[in-house]
Amino acid sequence: MPRSSIALQFRAEAYDHPDGSVDAGTVMTWIDKTAYAAAASWSGADVVASYVGNMHFSHPVPVETRVIVQARVVHTGRTSVHVQTRVVLPESKDADGRSLVSTECVMVYVAVDAGGTPVPVRRWEPSTEEDREHERMAMARQSIRREMEEALVEAPFLGEMTAETVVLRFIASTREVYPGEKVQGGVVMRWIDEAADVCASRWSGLPVVAVFAGGVRFYQPVRVGDLVELEAQLVHTSARSMHVSVRARAGDRREREPRLIAHGLSVMVSTGPDGRAVPVRQWRAATEQDRVLERRALELVGLRNKAAHEWAGRTQA
């Protein structure tokens, strides 16, 4: 029987994360695994990630502790399933004794047939007032998502910029795949986080962590064996943060022009011994292209704030 909600448990080992906290990329893969399960169960078909909403990492995820990722369907389109997710830390409590929520976001999946063609999905009907409120928020976020996608599409190519830039290239090799040897969306999100990490670390000269990942848009799938190229570029600095735009491309290794597969924006900070963000070296836009992309990045941050409270309330342990 189709399910509209699901929760999965995860745990990260200390030897994989020597600094004591789980990196944002790993958390993103957990979110995708759980949301994928909810979307696939509801649709009764294979699904592929289409869009990832804003993620603000309000609490670090410690290693060697139980983590629960919750996912539930909050809206369906003709071929799409919108899934609200949250990452809960049941062993960490706030002042009122409630489990901390590390982050939350909406994942949008599209149901596809064996050939990758979108197929209709069964409509999800809200049954409670809470369900209806979640669906209203999901529908409202669609317009915000379109604004974010326009901001990304209209931005210049990163190669035209003059700021700190990092390019990573590798062959896609992973067991985390959808049917048809297509790499899972969570893996692509982890790659984007890793590229942003390298770029921000080079600029600051210090270790960094992600505090925000925004509006990841998936354009085409990546298949195992594809040559992947990640281009990360610093586009804005505030007093204590670095905004990094990342474009992911991939294709057959024999092709000279890889296709755009995804784009996202990450906000990174360097932290001191007390865990607080420290001041970072400032970057100033030097060309018109620099200024355009910086403006787009700030627009995305503004849209993030517009949709900041996507899912009110907290989860009880």
Side-chain angles (χ1 to χ4, degrees), residues 242-317:
M242 296 157 283
H243 295 57
V244 181
S245 177
V246 183
R247 292 195 181 189
R249 301 179 179 87
D252 189 290
R253 68 191 72 184
R254 294 164 294 188
E255 298 175 355
R256 293 187 179 274
E257 295 296 332
R259 63 191 184 278
L260 180 66
I261 59 168
H263 185 285
L265 178 75
S266 297
V267 179
M268 317 295 288
V269 300
S270 294
T271 58
D274 60 356
R276 295 179 179 273
V278 300
V280 298
R281 182 162 59 101
Q282 295 298 288
W283 173 76
R284 295 287 181 265
T287 68
E288 180 58 28
Q289 288 88 347
D290 287 339
R291 287 186 282 273
V292 169
L293 195 51
E294 182 178 37
R295 187 163 60 248
R296 297 301 182 195
L298 293 176
E299 287 175 7
L300 288 176
V301 173
L303 291 169
R304 172 199 69 184
N305 295 334
K306 184 177 178 181
H309 302 291
E310 293 179 342
W311 193 0
R314 290 173 179 262
T315 299
Q316 300 294 329

Side-chain angles (χ1 to χ4, degrees), residues 132-259:
R132 285 186 282 274
E133 178 60 21
H134 286 312
E135 183 174 46
R136 283 193 291 268
M137 289 190 292
M139 295 176 70
R141 283 191 297 269
Q142 289 187 77
S143 62
I144 297 175
R145 187 173 77 246
R146 283 191 289 269
E147 292 180 56
M148 295 182 74
E149 290 176 5
E150 289 173 3
L152 293 174
V153 170
E154 294 174 8
F157 283 96
L158 301 182
E160 301 171 359
M161 312 299 287
T162 62
E164 182 75 47
T165 303
V166 168
V167 178
L168 306 180
R169 294 186 180 92
F170 52 88
I171 300 296
S173 176
T174 176
R175 295 179 180 178
E176 299 172 293
V177 295
Y178 298 133
E181 293 296 294
K182 292 175 289 189
V183 175
Q184 292 177 3
V187 174
V188 178
M189 289 190 286
R190 185 175 65 215
W191 293 343
I192 289 174
D193 175 68
E194 290 170 348
D197 183 293
V198 174
C199 182
S201 296
R202 282 190 175 182
W203 176 257
S204 67
L206 297 168
V208 299
V209 296
V211 294
F212 168 77
V216 178
R217 176 72 164 89
F218 297 96
Y219 299 98
Q220 296 188 50
V222 184
R223 288 179 167 78
V224 172
D226 279 355
L227 177 63
V228 179
E229 176 183 286
L230 298 165
E231 192 169 15
Q233 189 142 27
L234 183 73
V235 294
H236 176 69
T237 55
S238 67
R240 298 174 185 272
S241 67
M242 296 157 283
H243 295 57
V244 181
S245 177
V246 183
R247 292 195 181 189
R249 301 179 179 87
D252 189 290
R253 68 191 72 184
R254 294 164 294 188
E255 298 175 355
R256 293 187 179 274
E257 295 296 332
R259 63 191 184 278

Side-chain angles (χ1 to χ4, degrees), residues 59 66 89-100 314-317:
H59 297 284
R66 185 164 58 102
L89 309 177
E91 297 174 21
S92 301
K93 308 294 184 180
D94 64 12
D96 297 322
R98 295 176 296 190
S99 297
L100 293 179
R314 290 173 179 262
T315 299
Q316 300 294 329

Side-chain angles (χ1 to χ4, degrees), residues 16-31:
D16 287 329
H17 307 275
D19 64 352
S21 295
V22 183
D23 62 275
T26 297
V27 175
M28 291 176 190
T29 64
W30 294 348
I31 290 172

